[in-house]
PDB file of all heavy atoms in Angstrom:
ATOM      1  N   TYR A  93     193.970 -55.805-122.039  1.00 98.00           N
ATOM      2  CA  TYR A  93     193.694 -56.927-121.183  1.00 98.00           C
ATOM      3  C   TYR A  93     193.107 -56.616-119.770  1.00 98.00           C
ATOM      4  O   TYR A  93     192.626 -57.380-119.002  1.00 98.00           O
ATOM      5  CB  TYR A  93     195.042 -57.594-120.819  1.00 98.00           C
ATOM      6  CG  TYR A  93     196.172 -56.672-120.544  1.00 98.00           C
ATOM      7  CD1 TYR A  93     196.401 -56.200-119.219  1.00 98.00           C
ATOM      8  CD2 TYR A  93     197.084 -56.248-121.464  1.00 98.00           C
ATOM      9  CE1 TYR A  93     197.362 -55.354-118.908  1.00 98.00           C
ATOM     10  CE2 TYR A  93     198.040 -55.392-121.249  1.00 98.00           C
ATOM     11  CZ  TYR A  93     198.186 -54.828-119.945  1.00 98.00           C
ATOM     12  OH  TYR A  93     199.196 -53.983-119.610  1.00 98.00           O
ATOM     13  N   CYS A  94     193.016 -55.241-119.455  1.00 98.00           N
ATOM     14  CA  CYS A  94     192.786 -54.839-118.089  1.00 98.00           C
ATOM     15  C   CYS A  94     191.389 -54.439-117.832  1.00 98.00           C
ATOM     16  O   CYS A  94     190.831 -53.596-118.512  1.00 98.00           O
ATOM     17  CB  CYS A  94     193.845 -53.728-117.732  1.00 98.00           C
ATOM     18  SG  CYS A  94     193.681 -53.323-116.004  1.00 98.00           S
ATOM     19  N   GLY A  95     190.771 -54.939-116.775  1.00 98.00           N
ATOM     20  CA  GLY A  95     189.417 -54.684-116.386  1.00 98.00           C
ATOM     21  C   GLY A  95     189.200 -53.202-116.055  1.00 98.00           C
ATOM     22  O   GLY A  95     188.002 -52.731-116.148  1.00 98.00           O
ATOM     23  N   ILE A  96     190.216 -52.475-115.587  1.00 98.00           N
ATOM     24  CA  ILE A  96     189.938 -51.055-115.197  1.00 98.00           C
ATOM     25  C   ILE A  96     190.357 -50.178-116.277  1.00 98.00           C
ATOM     26  O   ILE A  96     190.561 -48.959-116.092  1.00 98.00           O
ATOM     27  CB  ILE A  96     190.622 -50.724-113.846  1.00 98.00           C
ATOM     28  CG1 ILE A  96     192.137 -50.838-113.921  1.00 98.00           C
ATOM     29  CG2 ILE A  96     190.114 -51.581-112.704  1.00 98.00           C
ATOM     30  CD1 ILE A  96     192.863 -50.142-112.645  1.00 98.00           C
ATOM     31  N   GLN A 131     198.895 -49.136-104.882  1.00 98.00           N
ATOM     32  CA  GLN A 131     198.704 -49.319-106.328  1.00 98.00           C
ATOM     33  C   GLN A 131     197.412 -48.667-106.809  1.00 98.00           C
ATOM     34  O   GLN A 131     196.451 -48.538-106.072  1.00 98.00           O
ATOM     35  CB  GLN A 131     198.653 -50.802-106.646  1.00 98.00           C
ATOM     36  CG  GLN A 131     198.841 -51.112-108.145  1.00 98.00           C
ATOM     37  CD  GLN A 131     198.738 -52.550-108.537  1.00 98.00           C
ATOM     38  OE1 GLN A 131     197.675 -53.073-108.634  1.00 98.00           O
ATOM     39  NE2 GLN A 131     199.838 -53.125-108.748  1.00 98.00           N
ATOM     40  N   SER A 132     197.493 -48.215-108.066  1.00 98.00           N
ATOM     41  CA  SER A 132     196.357 -47.581-108.680  1.00 98.00           C
ATOM     42  C   SER A 132     196.480 -47.617-110.244  1.00 98.00           C
ATOM     43  O   SER A 132     197.489 -47.926-110.743  1.00 98.00           O
ATOM     44  CB  SER A 132     196.262 -46.068-108.310  1.00 98.00           C
ATOM     45  OG  SER A 132     197.251 -45.372-108.832  1.00 98.00           O
ATOM     46  N   GLY A 133     195.317 -47.227-110.870  1.00 98.00           N
ATOM     47  CA  GLY A 133     195.365 -46.943-112.293  1.00 98.00           C
ATOM     48  C   GLY A 133     196.169 -45.663-112.467  1.00 98.00           C
ATOM     49  O   GLY A 133     196.614 -44.993-111.434  1.00 98.00           O
ATOM     50  N   GLU A 134     196.368 -45.177-113.632  1.00 98.00           N
ATOM     51  CA  GLU A 134     197.070 -43.905-113.880  1.00 98.00           C
ATOM     52  C   GLU A 134     195.981 -42.751-113.724  1.00 98.00           C
ATOM     53  O   GLU A 134     195.285 -42.531-114.679  1.00 98.00           O
ATOM     54  CB  GLU A 134     197.735 -43.852-115.207  1.00 98.00           C
ATOM     55  CG  GLU A 134     198.946 -44.817-115.273  1.00 98.00           C
ATOM     56  CD  GLU A 134     199.990 -44.659-116.367  1.00 98.00           C
ATOM     57  OE1 GLU A 134     199.843 -43.587-116.984  1.00 98.00           O
ATOM     58  OE2 GLU A 134     200.788 -45.590-116.517  1.00 98.00           O
ATOM     59  N   SER A 162     203.114 -48.342-107.127  1.00 98.00           N
ATOM     60  CA  SER A 162     202.842 -49.042-108.448  1.00 98.00           C
ATOM     61  C   SER A 162     201.700 -48.198-109.066  1.00 98.00           C
ATOM     62  O   SER A 162     200.517 -48.560-108.944  1.00 98.00           O
ATOM     63  CB  SER A 162     202.443 -50.487-108.108  1.00 98.00           C
ATOM     64  OG  SER A 162     202.110 -51.135-109.418  1.00 98.00           O
ATOM     65  N   VAL A 163     202.115 -47.020-109.607  1.00 98.00           N
ATOM     66  CA  VAL A 163     201.082 -46.134-110.231  1.00 98.00           C
ATOM     67  C   VAL A 163     201.350 -45.820-111.653  1.00 98.00           C
ATOM     68  O   VAL A 163     200.832 -44.886-112.152  1.00 98.00           O
ATOM     69  CB  VAL A 163     201.052 -44.871-109.301  1.00 98.00           C
ATOM     70  CG1 VAL A 163     200.619 -45.140-107.899  1.00 98.00           C
ATOM     71  CG2 VAL A 163     202.301 -44.069-109.432  1.00 98.00           C
ATOM     72  N   GLY A 164     202.240 -46.604-112.254  1.00 98.00           N
ATOM     73  CA  GLY A 164     202.361 -46.558-113.674  1.00 98.00           C
ATOM     74  C   GLY A 164     203.509 -45.648-114.130  1.00 98.00           C
ATOM     75  O   GLY A 164     204.475 -45.359-113.482  1.00 98.00           O
ATOM     76  N   LEU A 183     206.961 -50.754-108.475  1.00 98.00           N
ATOM     77  CA  LEU A 183     206.616 -51.914-109.366  1.00 98.00           C
ATOM     78  C   LEU A 183     206.122 -51.390-110.639  1.00 98.00           C
ATOM     79  O   LEU A 183     205.067 -50.627-110.640  1.00 98.00           O
ATOM     80  CB  LEU A 183     205.538 -52.703-108.749  1.00 98.00           C
ATOM     81  CG  LEU A 183     205.810 -53.498-107.379  1.00 98.00           C
ATOM     82  CD1 LEU A 183     204.576 -54.072-106.825  1.00 98.00           C
ATOM     83  CD2 LEU A 183     206.804 -54.632-107.627  1.00 98.00           C
ATOM     84  N   LEU A 184     206.730 -51.779-111.782  1.00 98.00           N
ATOM     85  CA  LEU A 184     206.184 -51.399-113.093  1.00 98.00           C
ATOM     86  C   LEU A 184     206.469 -52.519-114.028  1.00 98.00           C
ATOM     87  O   LEU A 184     207.621 -52.690-114.504  1.00 98.00           O
ATOM     88  CB  LEU A 184     206.876 -50.126-113.618  1.00 98.00           C
ATOM     89  CG  LEU A 184     206.360 -49.542-114.936  1.00 98.00           C
ATOM     90  CD1 LEU A 184     205.024 -48.827-114.691  1.00 98.00           C
ATOM     91  CD2 LEU A 184     207.384 -48.683-115.625  1.00 98.00           C
ATOM     92  N   ARG A 185     205.472 -53.381-114.154  1.00 98.00           N
ATOM     93  CA  ARG A 185     205.712 -54.567-115.034  1.00 98.00           C
ATOM     94  C   ARG A 185     206.039 -54.088-116.447  1.00 98.00           C
ATOM     95  O   ARG A 185     205.327 -53.189-116.972  1.00 98.00           O
ATOM     96  CB  ARG A 185     204.429 -55.524-115.074  1.00 98.00           C
ATOM     97  CG  ARG A 185     204.247 -56.187-113.783  1.00 98.00           C
ATOM     98  CD  ARG A 185     203.086 -57.158-113.941  1.00 98.00           C
ATOM     99  NE  ARG A 185     202.883 -57.933-112.761  1.00 98.00           N
ATOM    100  CZ  ARG A 185     201.935 -58.903-112.672  1.00 98.00           C
ATOM    101  NH1 ARG A 185     201.186 -59.080-113.746  1.00 98.00           N
ATOM    102  NH2 ARG A 185     201.791 -59.573-111.646  1.00 98.00           N
ATOM    103  N   GLU A 187     205.555 -55.930-118.964  1.00 98.00           N
ATOM    104  CA  GLU A 187     204.422 -56.550-119.653  1.00 98.00           C
ATOM    105  C   GLU A 187     204.903 -57.472-120.811  1.00 98.00           C
ATOM    106  O   GLU A 187     204.463 -58.634-120.882  1.00 98.00           O
ATOM    107  CB  GLU A 187     203.396 -55.569-120.296  1.00 98.00           C
ATOM    108  CG  GLU A 187     202.889 -54.542-119.226  1.00 98.00           C
ATOM    109  CD  GLU A 187     202.144 -55.066-118.045  1.00 98.00           C
ATOM    110  OE1 GLU A 187     201.992 -56.216-117.933  1.00 98.00           O
ATOM    111  OE2 GLU A 187     201.750 -54.226-117.237  1.00 98.00           O
ATOM    112  N   ARG A 207     207.881 -47.281-121.649  1.00 98.00           N
ATOM    113  CA  ARG A 207     207.779 -48.143-120.511  1.00 98.00           C
ATOM    114  C   ARG A 207     209.199 -48.611-120.063  1.00 98.00           C
ATOM    115  O   ARG A 207     209.571 -48.606-118.870  1.00 98.00           O
ATOM    116  CB  ARG A 207     206.856 -49.313-120.754  1.00 98.00           C
ATOM    117  CG  ARG A 207     206.364 -49.957-119.418  1.00 98.00           C
ATOM    118  CD  ARG A 207     205.006 -50.500-119.569  1.00 98.00           C
ATOM    119  NE  ARG A 207     204.464 -51.013-118.347  1.00 98.00           N
ATOM    120  CZ  ARG A 207     203.565 -50.416-117.536  1.00 98.00           C
ATOM    121  NH1 ARG A 207     203.038 -49.277-117.808  1.00 98.00           N
ATOM    122  NH2 ARG A 207     203.188 -51.034-116.416  1.00 98.00           N
ATOM    123  N   MET A 226     202.639 -60.889-117.562  1.00 98.00           N
ATOM    124  CA  MET A 226     201.588 -61.836-117.409  1.00 98.00           C
ATOM    125  C   MET A 226     202.002 -63.134-118.187  1.00 98.00           C
ATOM    126  O   MET A 226     202.559 -63.027-119.254  1.00 98.00           O
ATOM    127  CB  MET A 226     200.217 -61.321-117.991  1.00 98.00           C
ATOM    128  CG  MET A 226     199.640 -60.173-117.219  1.00 98.00           C
ATOM    129  SD  MET A 226     198.184 -59.578-118.020  1.00 98.00           S
ATOM    130  CE  MET A 226     198.986 -58.737-119.509  1.00 98.00           C
ATOM    131  N   PRO A 256     199.494 -65.353-114.004  1.00 98.00           N
ATOM    132  CA  PRO A 256     198.807 -65.750-115.226  1.00 98.00           C
ATOM    133  C   PRO A 256     197.876 -64.583-115.676  1.00 98.00           C
ATOM    134  O   PRO A 256     197.283 -63.876-114.866  1.00 98.00           O
ATOM    135  CB  PRO A 256     197.978 -66.987-114.823  1.00 98.00           C
ATOM    136  CG  PRO A 256     197.866 -66.906-113.338  1.00 98.00           C
ATOM    137  CD  PRO A 256     199.157 -66.192-112.848  1.00 98.00           C
ATOM    138  N   PHE A 257     197.842 -64.492-116.957  1.00 98.00           N
ATOM    139  CA  PHE A 257     196.755 -63.615-117.622  1.00 98.00           C
ATOM    140  C   PHE A 257     195.401 -64.266-117.268  1.00 98.00           C
ATOM    141  O   PHE A 257     195.290 -65.500-117.437  1.00 98.00           O
ATOM    142  CB  PHE A 257     196.973 -63.501-119.099  1.00 98.00           C
ATOM    143  CG  PHE A 257     195.736 -63.065-119.826  1.00 98.00           C
ATOM    144  CD1 PHE A 257     195.267 -61.718-119.798  1.00 98.00           C
ATOM    145  CD2 PHE A 257     194.955 -63.912-120.578  1.00 98.00           C
ATOM    146  CE1 PHE A 257     194.112 -61.310-120.398  1.00 98.00           C
ATOM    147  CE2 PHE A 257     193.853 -63.554-121.166  1.00 98.00           C
ATOM    148  CZ  PHE A 257     193.374 -62.284-121.095  1.00 98.00           C
ATOM    149  N   ILE A 258     194.463 -63.412-116.868  1.00 98.00           N
ATOM    150  CA  ILE A 258     193.067 -63.916-116.656  1.00 98.00           C
ATOM    151  C   ILE A 258     192.183 -62.976-117.392  1.00 98.00           C
ATOM    152  O   ILE A 258     192.165 -61.807-117.186  1.00 98.00           O
ATOM    153  CB  ILE A 258     192.743 -63.940-115.160  1.00 98.00           C
ATOM    154  CG1 ILE A 258     193.812 -64.794-114.344  1.00 98.00           C
ATOM    155  CG2 ILE A 258     191.342 -64.591-114.904  1.00 98.00           C
ATOM    156  CD1 ILE A 258     193.650 -64.835-112.828  1.00 98.00           C
ATOM    157  N   PRO A 259     191.295 -63.530-118.316  1.00 98.00           N
ATOM    158  CA  PRO A 259     190.434 -62.621-119.049  1.00 98.00           C
ATOM    159  C   PRO A 259     189.404 -61.861-118.197  1.00 98.00           C
ATOM    160  O   PRO A 259     188.968 -62.434-117.194  1.00 98.00           O
ATOM    161  CB  PRO A 259     189.797 -63.568-120.087  1.00 98.00           C
ATOM    162  CG  PRO A 259     189.851 -64.965-119.528  1.00 98.00           C
ATOM    163  CD  PRO A 259     191.110 -64.945-118.658  1.00 98.00           C
ATOM    164  N   ALA A 297     196.945 -63.179-108.855  1.00 97.00           N
ATOM    165  CA  ALA A 297     196.437 -63.834-110.104  1.00 97.00           C
ATOM    166  C   ALA A 297     196.628 -65.364-110.014  1.00 97.00           C
ATOM    167  O   ALA A 297     195.829 -66.236-110.362  1.00 97.00           O
ATOM    168  CB  ALA A 297     197.031 -63.288-111.322  1.00 97.00           C
ATOM    169  N   TYR A 330     188.224 -53.082-107.782  1.00 95.00           N
ATOM    170  CA  TYR A 330     189.615 -53.172-108.413  1.00 95.00           C
ATOM    171  C   TYR A 330     189.769 -54.443-109.159  1.00 95.00           C
ATOM    172  O   TYR A 330     190.585 -55.279-108.818  1.00 95.00           O
ATOM    173  CB  TYR A 330     190.629 -52.960-107.318  1.00 95.00           C
ATOM    174  CG  TYR A 330     192.011 -52.528-107.915  1.00 95.00           C
ATOM    175  CD1 TYR A 330     192.251 -51.267-108.159  1.00 95.00           C
ATOM    176  CD2 TYR A 330     193.047 -53.431-108.222  1.00 95.00           C
ATOM    177  CE1 TYR A 330     193.480 -50.742-108.695  1.00 95.00           C
ATOM    178  CE2 TYR A 330     194.264 -53.072-108.744  1.00 95.00           C
ATOM    179  CZ  TYR A 330     194.447 -51.704-108.904  1.00 95.00           C
ATOM    180  OH  TYR A 330     195.673 -51.263-109.494  1.00 95.00           O
ATOM    181  N   LEU A 332     190.808 -56.258-111.986  1.00 94.00           N
ATOM    182  CA  LEU A 332     191.706 -56.289-113.171  1.00 94.00           C
ATOM    183  C   LEU A 332     191.237 -57.379-114.111  1.00 94.00           C
ATOM    184  O   LEU A 332     191.458 -57.311-115.309  1.00 94.00           O
ATOM    185  CB  LEU A 332     193.116 -56.436-112.710  1.00 94.00           C
ATOM    186  CG  LEU A 332     193.644 -55.492-111.687  1.00 94.00           C
ATOM    187  CD1 LEU A 332     195.127 -55.805-111.410  1.00 94.00           C
ATOM    188  CD2 LEU A 332     193.460 -54.038-112.143  1.00 94.00           C
ATOM    189  N   TYR A 333     190.728 -58.506-113.473  1.00 95.00           N
ATOM    190  CA  TYR A 333     190.307 -59.665-114.250  1.00 95.00           C
ATOM    191  C   TYR A 333     189.172 -60.327-113.473  1.00 95.00           C
ATOM    192  O   TYR A 333     188.979 -60.038-112.294  1.00 95.00           O
ATOM    193  CB  TYR A 333     191.567 -60.708-114.374  1.00 95.00           C
ATOM    194  CG  TYR A 333     192.346 -60.760-113.215  1.00 95.00           C
ATOM    195  CD1 TYR A 333     191.980 -61.614-112.138  1.00 95.00           C
ATOM    196  CD2 TYR A 333     193.522 -60.056-113.047  1.00 95.00           C
ATOM    197  CE1 TYR A 333     192.772 -61.727-111.004  1.00 95.00           C
ATOM    198  CE2 TYR A 333     194.289 -60.120-111.862  1.00 95.00           C
ATOM    199  CZ  TYR A 333     193.928 -60.976-110.912  1.00 95.00           C
ATOM    200  OH  TYR A 333     194.625 -61.117-109.735  1.00 95.00           O
TER     201      TYR A 333
HETATM  202  N1  SAM B 428     198.758 -48.706-113.394  1.00 71.26           N
HETATM  203  C1  SAM B 428     199.919 -49.432-112.847  1.00 71.26           C
HETATM  204  C2  SAM B 428     200.755 -49.972-113.974  1.00 71.26           C
HETATM  205  O1  SAM B 428     200.469 -49.712-115.106  1.00 71.26           O
HETATM  206  O2  SAM B 428     201.792 -50.545-113.659  1.00 71.26           O
HETATM  207  C3  SAM B 428     199.555 -50.456-111.830  1.00 71.26           C
HETATM  208  C4  SAM B 428     198.238 -51.093-111.985  1.00 71.26           C
HETATM  209  S1  SAM B 428     198.146 -52.330-113.247  1.00 71.26           S
HETATM  210  C5  SAM B 428     196.505 -52.760-113.221  1.00 71.26           C
HETATM  211  C6  SAM B 428     198.942 -53.738-112.440  1.00 71.26           C
HETATM  212  C7  SAM B 428     199.155 -54.907-113.323  1.00 71.26           C
HETATM  213  O3  SAM B 428     197.977 -55.781-113.437  1.00 71.26           O
HETATM  214  C8  SAM B 428     199.643 -54.750-114.714  1.00 71.26           C
HETATM  215  O4  SAM B 428     200.990 -54.571-114.775  1.00 71.26           O
HETATM  216  C9  SAM B 428     199.193 -56.088-115.336  1.00 71.26           C
HETATM  217  O5  SAM B 428     200.316 -56.943-115.664  1.00 71.26           O
HETATM  218  C10 SAM B 428     198.214 -56.719-114.380  1.00 71.26           C
HETATM  219  N2  SAM B 428     196.959 -57.111-115.037  1.00 71.26           N
HETATM  220  C11 SAM B 428     196.112 -56.242-115.600  1.00 71.26           C
HETATM  221  N3  SAM B 428     195.108 -56.903-116.289  1.00 71.26           N
HETATM  222  C12 SAM B 428     195.294 -58.257-116.034  1.00 71.26           C
HETATM  223  C13 SAM B 428     194.617 -59.477-116.332  1.00 71.26           C
HETATM  224  N4  SAM B 428     193.566 -59.419-117.133  1.00 71.26           N
HETATM  225  N5  SAM B 428     195.182 -60.653-115.905  1.00 71.26           N
HETATM  226  C14 SAM B 428     196.317 -60.632-115.121  1.00 71.26           C
HETATM  227  N6  SAM B 428     196.924 -59.619-114.812  1.00 71.26           N
HETATM  228  C15 SAM B 428     196.468 -58.366-115.193  1.00 71.26           C
END
Side-chain angles (χ1 to χ4, degrees):
Y93 45 83
C94 185
I96 64 168
Q131 193 181 82
S132 69
E134 294 198 8
S162 177
V163 300
L183 297 171
L184 185 78
R185 290 185 175 183
E187 312 296 359
R207 199 149 181 104
M226 295 175 289
F257 160 74
I258 305 175
Y330 199 81
L332 309 180
Y333 41 81

